[in-house]
Amino acid sequence: MNSCSSIGIGLAGFGTVGSGVWNTLQRNGKLISERTAGGTLLEIVRILVRDLHKSRATHEDVPTELFTTDWHALVNDPAVDIVVELIGGTTDAFEIVAAALRAKKPVVTGNKALLAERGRELFALSLEHDTPIHFEAAVAGGIPIIRTVQDSFIGNRILSFSGIINGTSNYILGRMTDAGLTFEEALGEAQALGYAEADPALDVNGWDAAHKAILLATLAYGFPIDPKEIHVSGIDQVRPTDIHFAKSLGYAVKLLAVIREHEDGSVELRLQPSFIPKSNILASVHGVFNAVAVHGDAAGESLFYGRGAGQDPTASSVVADLVEAARSLGQASGHRGFLPYRESGRIMPVSETSTAYYVRFDVTDRPGVIAEIAKILAEHRIGISGTHSPVNPNNPDAAFVDMVFLLHTCPFGQLQEALLEVKALDCVNSSPVVFRIESLS
Ligand code: NAP
Ligand code: HSE
């Protein structure tokens, strides 16, 4: 550790979040020092970037000698006490975090992909070297949900989480609904605002939220979860038709994470665009905001709401972790993360999970289409609560149309079997698009 109570930070990554951490420490460093026993001063002593020549016009105050492109130089610098990983990805980031743990330097990261995909290896290293990994920023940006699960709910059996945990998707859905933007326009705005991942496909295909859901479920249920076991679909399938249709029925379309422990101990974990009743509080979560409803057997239901992405909110979580890491520097039992307490657990296959559904078919409009689809659904014992085929006012005789079915609750597997047969009909032109209808009761 550095002299007195000055703690050296090695900051890997100086993009949206990394530069936000710099800003926050510049702005509030003195306040943090006043609030911590011993007057801890958090000082960034090294910064890792990919491109030394990139213009950093908003950060001309950062001494150029702090920057490096060599992560070994950052991790091995004796002035670095804590390593912050904010470069993203699962390769170089893995090497940096592993090297820091081996050097017994606590790690702070916001990298949910890294922890969901390779957390098992990293938390084993953390245990082996008795050195913590802090990851508050990895789930729901500025909302302190990781601490809540690790600390505040430690006395609860967690019955379920449900929530909106990708700010970019929520922002895009909102802009498509309220401002009539196209998907591409709304995504461009989310990128410009610093909400999206470096690879925005992760936001729109549901995987960024899935990585976060895996972290929450692993903490709550105590067994490692293989991402391949979970069912994920994203908002890239949502069309304005779906949003308007949902609205007319009293629903909002949200990318919803559902994590639920069943009586047999199996865990339902899925990420899908869902219709949720407008009366439910999650339907009122707009823009970049996230919300996570946690149901504990003792605490009952609690809702955590706040900004789920963006520079300052995410930096707020990183800085909180930095203070916690600084407080525990040099103490034994530094492990902080996944402590598997179940040898193994079961993720419920998605085919066994049940809800009602909204299904959109792209069909060739000819007499009998509805009856052909309805016949197959009936043969699979799936009840229909409504059908609709929005007419294109500019072309009421269009040959290809969207046809929407609302279906009663049944296991997803039963629906998938029926849809395979429907898809084979010659009047159906592409794979049906399925959204859940959640009661969230
Ligand atoms: P970003 O804006 O793309 O910044 C990435 C930074 O890392 C840049 O400074 C880049 O260098 C540097 N970098 C990337 N790859 C590198 C490599 N191989 N070697 C050295 N430096 C490298 O990303 P971000 O939005 O700040 O996100 C960072 C992490 O935080 C990600 O794991 C993300 O999932 C997570 N996160 C982001 C948010 C958010 O709202 N953005 C919220 C929560 C968590 P250059 O500057 O030279 O390009
Ligand atoms: N891209 C992520 C989101 C950043 O939009 O939620 C926060 O993890």
Side-chain angles (χ1 to χ4, degrees):
M1 196 192 299
N2 270 352
S3 61
C4 300
S5 49
S6 175
I7 308 288
I9 311 298
L11 181 61
F14 201 71
T16 302
V17 186
S19 61
V21 172
W22 172 274
N23 298 346
T24 305
L25 290 181
Q26 289 296 106
R27 203 169 60 239
N28 296 340
K30 187 165 170 286
L31 180 66
I32 294 167
S33 174
E34 287 163 356
R35 284 175 174 170
T36 48
T40 303
L41 194 66
L42 300 170
E43 193 185 350
I44 295 174
V45 294
R46 278 273 171 155
I47 300 174
L48 176 75
V49 290
R50 193 166 25 200
D51 179 3
L52 281 181
H53 305 292
K54 189 170 177 175
S55 160
R56 302 184 197 276
T58 52
H59 285 91
E60 281 167 356
D61 58 322
V62 184
T64 47
E65 63 272 19
L66 296 194
F67 288 101
T68 177
T69 53
D70 175 8
W71 68 256
H72 298 89
L74 179 141
V75 172
N76 298 328
D77 187 333
V80 168
D81 299 306
I82 300 170
V83 173
V84 181
E85 184 281 302
L86 293 168
I87 69 168
T90 57
T91 50
D92 290 353
F94 180 90
E95 299 304 329
I96 292 169
V97 172
L101 295 172
R102 289 193 187 100
K104 284 193 161 286
K105 297 189 180 186
V107 171
V108 175
T109 180
N111 191 336
K112 51 271 174 174
L114 176 68
L115 297 182
E117 301 279 346
R118 306 191 67 182
R120 237 180 142 165
E121 298 159 78
L122 290 174
F123 284 109
L125 274 178
S126 163
L127 254 186
E128 184 185 338
H129 296 281
D130 198 19
T131 303
I133 305 174
H134 301 267
F135 53 104
E136 186 62 74
V139 181
I143 306 176
I145 190 70
I146 296 295
R147 264 186 189 62
T148 297
V149 179
Q150 283 180 324
D151 298 334
S152 311
F153 274 68
I154 199 162
N156 282 252
R157 172 171 285 279
I158 294 183
L159 306 175
S160 68
F161 297 95
S162 50
I164 294 165
I165 51 177
N166 181 267
T168 301
S169 298
N170 206 49
Y171 181 87
I172 293 172
L173 289 174
R175 295 292 283 160
M176 287 170 71
T177 309
D178 303 332
L181 262 59
T182 64
F183 184 90
E184 290 71 22
E185 288 166 340
L187 172 60
E189 285 190 357
Q191 288 178 293
L193 289 163
Y195 302 156
E197 295 301 296
D199 174 6
L202 288 168
D203 292 297
V204 299
N205 67 17
W207 271 101
D208 175 77
H211 288 144
K212 294 166 180 166
I214 287 173
L215 299 188
L216 290 176
T218 310
L219 286 176
Y221 302 117
F223 64 90
I225 295 168
D226 182 347
K228 289 189 206 77
E229 281 186 283
I230 68 172
H231 184 79
V232 180
S233 58
I235 63 157
D236 41 4
Q237 305 180 65
V238 179
R239 300 281 170 269
T241 323
D242 307 317
I243 293 173
H244 293 124
F245 195 68
K247 219 172 173 178
S248 70
L249 287 170
Y251 293 102
V253 182
K254 297 287 180 191
L255 180 66
L256 192 72
V258 173
I259 308 168
R260 185 180 296 133
E261 189 179 32
H262 286 256
E263 275 179 12
D264 65 357
S266 65
V267 174
E268 178 175 353
L269 201 175
R270 55 190 169 79
L271 252 301
Q272 280 168 296
S274 305
F275 280 23
I276 60 177
K278 280 215 183 111
S279 56
N280 188 281
I281 198 159
L282 292 180
S284 307
V285 176
H286 298 299
V288 73
F289 281 85
N290 282 191
V292 185
V294 187
H295 192 177
D297 65 344
E301 290 206 53
S302 307
L303 183 74
F304 298 86
Y305 172 80
R307 288 180 190 275
Q311 186 168 60
D312 285 353
T314 312
S316 162
S317 290
V318 173
V319 170
D321 275 355
L322 271 171
V323 172
E324 198 185 335
R327 280 180 175 140
S328 59
L329 266 182
Q331 289 176 15
S333 298
H335 179 78
R336 192 108 174 95
F338 304 160
L339 272 177
Y341 50 83
R342 274 203 232 171
E343 279 298 303
S344 62
R346 178 177 184 264
I347 292 292
M348 176 178 269
V350 70
S351 57
E352 293 174 22
T353 64
S354 289
T355 54
Y357 305 92
Y358 162 96
V359 188
R360 170 167 42 82
F361 301 96
D362 167 15
V363 299
T364 305
D365 194 16
R366 57 168 165 71
V369 170
I370 294 182
E372 284 180 62
I373 297 175
K375 180 168 174 282
I376 294 175
L377 292 169
E379 283 164 3
H380 287 266
R381 304 175 318 284
I382 298 172
I384 300 168
S385 54
T387 69
H388 183 65
S389 185
V391 174
N392 178 348
N394 300 319
N395 187 6
D397 290 323
F400 304 102
V401 297
D402 284 331
M403 188 159 285
V404 160
F405 278 65
L406 300 173
L407 304 178
H408 287 300
T409 299
C410 73
F412 191 64
Q414 194 173 324
L415 176 66
Q416 279 175 315
E417 282 173 23
L419 293 184
L420 269 182
E421 285 182 36
V422 173
K423 198 183 152 194
L425 292 172
D426 61 6
C427 57
V428 174
N429 303 317
S430 56
S431 294
V433 174
V434 180
F435 301 154
R436 301 270 181 165
I437 301 178
E438 300 279 355
S439 62
L440 291 174
S441 52

